[in-house]
Amino acid sequence: MVNRVSATRKKVPELVLFGEAVRQRRKELGYSQEAFGDACEIDRSYIGGIERGEHNLALINILKIIATLEMQPSEFFQALDRPRKKLRLT
C-alpha cells in the first residue's frame, strides 16, 4: 500500500531526498515527468508525488525508477548518503 502525505503532516526527509534525487537525474536524462512515467510504467501524477516526497514507494517501483534512470541501485542511493555523525564517548 502506498501512503500519501497529507497537507497537514510534515514530509519525511528521506522521501524528500529520494524525490529530489529522482528529479535531478530525470532532468539530466532529458525526460519530462510524463515521458519518464511512461518509461517506468508509473503514472505521471504519481511520479510528481514521488518527486515532492509525498509517496512511500514499494521496492518494485523504486527498482523500476532506478533502472529507467540508467543507474545501479547502489549508485543511485549514494545521492541519499549523509555524513555519519561521530559517536561521542564521554
Side-chain angles (χ1 to χ4, degrees):
M1 185 167 124
V2 175
N3 295 326
R4 187 173 176 116
V5 176
S6 73
T8 59
R9 288 188 9 204
K10 287 182 76 173
K11 292 183 182 177
V12 178
E14 292 82 1
L15 296 178
V16 173
L17 285 173
F18 181 88
E20 289 171 351
V22 169
R23 178 183 293 123
Q24 179 180 345
R25 180 68 176 161
R26 171 183 63 79
K27 288 182 174 187
E28 287 172 4
L29 294 174
Y31 279 109
S32 66
Q33 275 187 350
E34 185 172 2
F36 186 68
D38 289 344
C40 293
E41 299 180 351
I42 298 173
D43 187 80
R44 184 222 43 92
S45 63
Y46 191 74
I47 294 293
I50 291 168
E51 291 183 357
R52 291 187 300 275
E54 296 173 351
H55 298 295
N56 190 357
L57 291 79
L59 179 59
I60 194 69
N61 287 335
I62 292 169
L63 295 175
K64 283 181 183 181
I65 288 168
I66 292 170
T68 304
L69 294 173
E70 303 173 6
M71 300 177 85
Q72 293 294 317
S74 58
E75 179 185 14
F76 176 82
F77 281 104
Q78 288 178 1
L80 279 71
D81 285 348
R82 293 186 216 155
R84 289 185 177 198
K85 292 182 181 178
K86 292 186 179 180
L87 181 62
R88 282 185 150 171
L89 300 175
T90 55

